[in-house]
């Protein structure tokens, strides 16, 4: 609306009347503009500019006679320029007679008022309907700076409200939204970023603009750029996407899960949609996602324990039941597992050093069920400080990891402890029954898995209790 008014304000009454003739000529009323050809060029240009405006515009001279009426005004009310230009005010045709005096006085009062004044009127359409419009009126100044008339730009109220809502929504998103909002240009660089998003990135709003996303994220950049490229070419996805990224912080990389929605931005002024970029809205759902994953993991592990107990109850040999518990526990938890028994059946607390004999082990090569070993009873050559011996000595769980990043050194670390060579992370849980230590169960993970955490140790201890009960029952029944 502002641009429409500025394009008309500098013109005098004489020029506006020239525009009237141009508008009439377009409707077929006259074929001549006048003898002065330069005036024809200027008037035609002005008429083209006014008719191309998105806002409806009309103008009145100092006597209240309508001197201009553009195409948008014709579209809204149905009256053509030939029917409107030359009338005095809106009375009897564009405004109800009862409202005409008030409307005319408020419009013409803009001649004496500084700046623009905004009003709302109910105007009549050519077919007899009523349209509520919002007007912006201002004085047209003559050569000496005196008011020579009034121009009035108007639009339907609901259209103006829609525009104001869009502007208000944009401002709210970039100031008060609880979601991160980023406008990414066609080069996949942030062009606008709100305060919430800047806080999520751990940077200032201005510092993030124009930088590659790889400067803001340590991991997850490829997935994010792929999603943005897809939106630019194909449009918005039908549902939000959950994306895991890693942020660089002073304490190191911080992994976050962002639930993201994308919309493609296209220019409304182009004849064909031209992508201007992507609007990216995201919300940090890391805590909720982690809670959800932990709950799913707990359900899975509880189900595995239940299934293992049902399967072990069908085993005639308690030693086979211990192997069944180990197989069920291995699924999704570790890559290898070992059960080492204390030589002689068990040891009471404080008896001193013990020797361990391998009883159950998973295949080191191809996956398969655990096999029972140790019939010869030969003790393992565990060196001093071995995690299994520490576990027996403490009667508690022990975690160990290969500190070396070099694969060769990690392989030597595993072989020195008589574990499969691809083992990188270990968790030892003690086997206890009837107040005695019966042995150790060791779970091993390869380099492709994460290290064992406290929750993993609790699950391993639950499995160790069941294995210990099976081994103790085997000792009592005397059926190795």
């Amino acid at each position: 609306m502002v641009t429409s008014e500025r394009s008309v304000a500098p013109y005098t009454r004489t020029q506006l009347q020239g525009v009237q003739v141009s508008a009439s000529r377009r409707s077929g009323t006259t074929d001549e503009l006048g003898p002065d050809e330069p005036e024809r060029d200027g008037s035609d240009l002005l008429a083209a500019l006014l008719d191309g405006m998105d806002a409806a515009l009309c103008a009145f001279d100092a006597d209240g006679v309508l001197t201009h009426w553009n195409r948008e005004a014709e579209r809204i009310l149905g009256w053509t320029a030939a029917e409107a230009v030359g009338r005095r005010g809106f009375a009897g045709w564009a405004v109800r007679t009862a409202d005409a005096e008030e409307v005319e006085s408020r419009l013409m009062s803009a001649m004496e008022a500084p700046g623009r004044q905004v009003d709302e009127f109910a105007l009549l359409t050519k077919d007899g309907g009523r349209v509520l419009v919002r007007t912006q009126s201002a004085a047209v100044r003559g050569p000496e700076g005196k008011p020579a008339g009034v121009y009035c730009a108007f639009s339907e109220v609901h259209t103006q409200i829609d525009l104001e809502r869009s502007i208000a929504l944009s401002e709210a998103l970039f100031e008060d939204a609880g979601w991160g909002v980023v406008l990414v240009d066609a080069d996949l660089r942030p062009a606008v970023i709100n305060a919430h998003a800047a806080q999520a990135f751990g940077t200032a709003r201005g510092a993030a603009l124009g930088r590659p996303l790889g400067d803001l994220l340590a991991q997850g950049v490829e997935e994010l750029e792929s999603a943005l490229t897809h939106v630019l070419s194909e449009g918005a996805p039908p549902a939000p996407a959950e994306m895991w990224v890693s942020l660089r912080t002073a304490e190191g990389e911080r992994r976050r899960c962002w639930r993201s929605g994308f919309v493609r931005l296209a220019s409304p002024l182009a004849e064909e949609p031209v992508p201007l970029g992507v609007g990216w809205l995201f919300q940090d759902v890391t805590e909720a996602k982690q809670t959800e994953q932990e709950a799913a993991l707990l359900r899975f592990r509880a189900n595995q324990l239940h299934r293992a107990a049902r399967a072990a109850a069908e085993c005639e040999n308690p030693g086979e039941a211990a192997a069944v518990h180990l197989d069920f526990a291995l699924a999704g938890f570790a890559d290898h597992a070992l059960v080492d028994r204390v030589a002689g059946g068990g040891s009471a607390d404080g008896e001193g050093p013990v020797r361990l004999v391998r009883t159950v082990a998973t295949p080191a090569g191809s996956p398969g069920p655990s096999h029972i070993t140790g019939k010869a009873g030969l003790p393992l050559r565990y060196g001093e400080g071995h995690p299994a011996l520490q576990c027996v000595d403490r009667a508690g769980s022990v975690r160990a990891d290969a500190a070396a990043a070099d694969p060769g050194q990690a392989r030597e670390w595993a072989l020195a402890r008589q574990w499969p060579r691809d083992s990188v992370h270990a968790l030892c849980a003690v086997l206890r029954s009837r107040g005695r230590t019966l042995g150790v169960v060791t779970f091993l993970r390869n380099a492709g898995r994460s290290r064992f955490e406290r929750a993993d140790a609790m699950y391993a201890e639950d499995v160790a209790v069941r294995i210990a009960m099976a081994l103790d029952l085997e000792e009592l029944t005397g059926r190795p």
Side-chain angles (χ1 to χ4, degrees):
M1 307 308 168
V2 177
T3 56
S4 303
E5 297 161 1
R6 288 180 179 174
S7 63
V8 181
Y11 291 91
T12 63
R13 177 183 177 184
T14 303
Q15 291 170 313
L16 288 173
Q17 290 174 342
V19 176
Q20 170 194 346
V21 177
S22 174
S24 301
R25 184 168 62 88
R26 290 187 173 211
S27 62
T29 304
T30 181
D31 293 327
E32 293 185 3
L33 183 64
D36 192 358
E37 193 61 31
E39 183 181 354
R40 172 192 295 271
D41 296 340
S43 298
D44 286 348
L45 175 60
L46 178 59
L49 291 174
L50 297 179
D51 280 341
M53 292 169 50
D54 292 332
L57 188 139
C58 61
F60 301 88
D61 63 14
D63 298 325
V65 177
L66 196 65
T67 61
H68 179 251
W69 190 265
N70 73 345
R71 292 186 182 275
E72 184 64 13
E74 178 181 341
R75 186 194 67 80
I76 294 177
L77 298 180
W79 302 96
T80 65
E83 295 170 323
V85 172
R87 292 177 179 265
R88 183 181 178 87
F90 287 146
W93 63 286
V95 174
R96 293 192 313 172
T97 305
D99 301 332
E101 182 178 354
E102 178 186 0
V103 171
E104 183 175 351
S105 63
R106 289 168 66 180
L107 284 177
M108 300 308 294
S109 65
M111 291 179 58
E112 308 298 334
R116 296 191 305 266
Q117 67 179 30
V118 179
D119 295 293
E120 288 187 2
F121 302 122
L123 300 183
L124 297 178
T125 62
K126 187 176 181 179
D127 58 6
R130 300 185 69 189
V131 178
L132 183 63
V133 299
R134 180 171 297 175
T135 66
Q136 295 189 41
S137 307
V140 177
R141 303 291 174 180
E144 300 178 357
K146 296 181 179 180
V150 174
Y151 77 85
C152 173
F154 63 91
S155 62
E156 298 176 78
V157 167
H158 69 83
T159 303
Q160 183 72 16
I161 292 176
D162 289 343
L163 175 62
E164 293 177 359
R165 284 173 178 165
S166 298
I167 296 173
L169 174 61
S170 300
E171 293 180 351
L173 285 174
F174 285 102
E175 296 299 333
D176 306 322
W179 283 60
V181 182
V182 182
L183 298 188
V184 183
D185 61 21
D187 295 326
L188 306 186
R189 295 171 182 254
V192 185
I193 182 172
N194 74 341
H196 189 93
Q199 183 179 6
F201 283 120
T203 184
R205 294 178 66 175
L209 302 182
R211 295 172 57 186
L213 293 173
D215 292 350
L216 304 175
L217 302 176
Q219 295 181 12
V221 180
E222 294 80 5
E223 292 78 3
L224 177 57
E225 289 183 342
S226 176
L228 294 172
T229 303
H230 173 80
V231 174
L232 280 173
S233 59
E234 303 293 336
E242 293 177 350
M243 312 187 74
W244 285 93
V245 299
S246 293
L247 303 171
R248 297 185 182 92
T249 64
E251 295 78 17
E253 293 185 1
R254 185 164 56 101
R255 189 165 170 78
R256 311 301 295 171
C257 180
W258 290 344
R259 181 171 295 153
S260 303
F262 303 93
V263 290
R264 181 169 61 179
L265 305 179
S267 173
L269 303 180
E271 294 183 1
E272 297 181 358
V274 177
L276 297 179
V278 176
W280 171 32
L281 295 84
F282 66 89
Q283 186 179 34
D284 194 322
V285 293
T286 306
E287 286 74 14
K289 197 65 180 176
Q290 288 176 342
T291 301
E292 179 183 335
Q293 291 177 346
E294 290 172 0
L297 184 61
L298 287 175
R299 287 194 299 269
F300 173 76
R301 289 179 175 177
N303 187 46
Q304 287 296 98
L305 291 175
H306 174 74
R307 294 175 60 196
R310 294 285 300 271
E314 302 300 325
C315 296
E316 296 183 3
N317 189 338
E320 293 178 358
V324 166
H325 280 292
L326 196 66
D327 289 335
F328 275 94
L330 204 63
F333 182 69
D335 297 296
H336 305 287
L338 312 168
V339 175
D340 300 330
R341 292 191 64 172
V342 174
S347 66
D349 295 342
E351 285 190 357
V354 297
R355 295 181 302 168
L356 298 176
V357 177
R358 180 67 44 80
T359 302
V360 182
T362 55
S366 58
S370 302
H371 53 268
I372 300 175
T373 62
K375 295 182 180 180
L378 298 177
L380 297 164
R381 295 178 295 103
Y382 284 162
E384 184 178 356
H386 192 284
L389 296 178
Q390 295 181 34
C391 181
V392 172
D393 183 57
R394 300 176 185 177
S397 300
V398 174
R399 286 177 284 176
D401 304 277
D406 180 68
Q409 295 180 1
R411 189 179 302 111
E412 294 177 2
W413 176 85
L415 293 176
R417 288 156 179 77
Q418 301 185 41
W419 291 334
R421 63 178 59 203
D422 55 356
S423 301
V424 175
H425 310 290
L427 172 60
C428 299
V430 65
L431 303 176
R432 299 271 300 178
S433 180
R434 292 190 297 143
R436 298 178 306 145
T437 299
L438 303 184
V440 178
V441 57
T442 303
F443 295 98
L444 303 168
R445 287 178 177 175
N446 299 341
R449 292 178 180 264
S450 61
R451 65 191 303 270
F452 289 100
E453 302 295 342
R454 178 57 191 158
D456 299 323
M458 295 175 62
Y459 177 62
E461 290 167 359
D462 285 343
V463 176
V465 169
R466 289 161 170 77
I467 294 176
M469 293 175 60
L471 296 180
D472 196 17
L473 179 61
E474 182 184 43
E475 180 182 344
L476 290 175
T477 58
R479 298 178 60 184

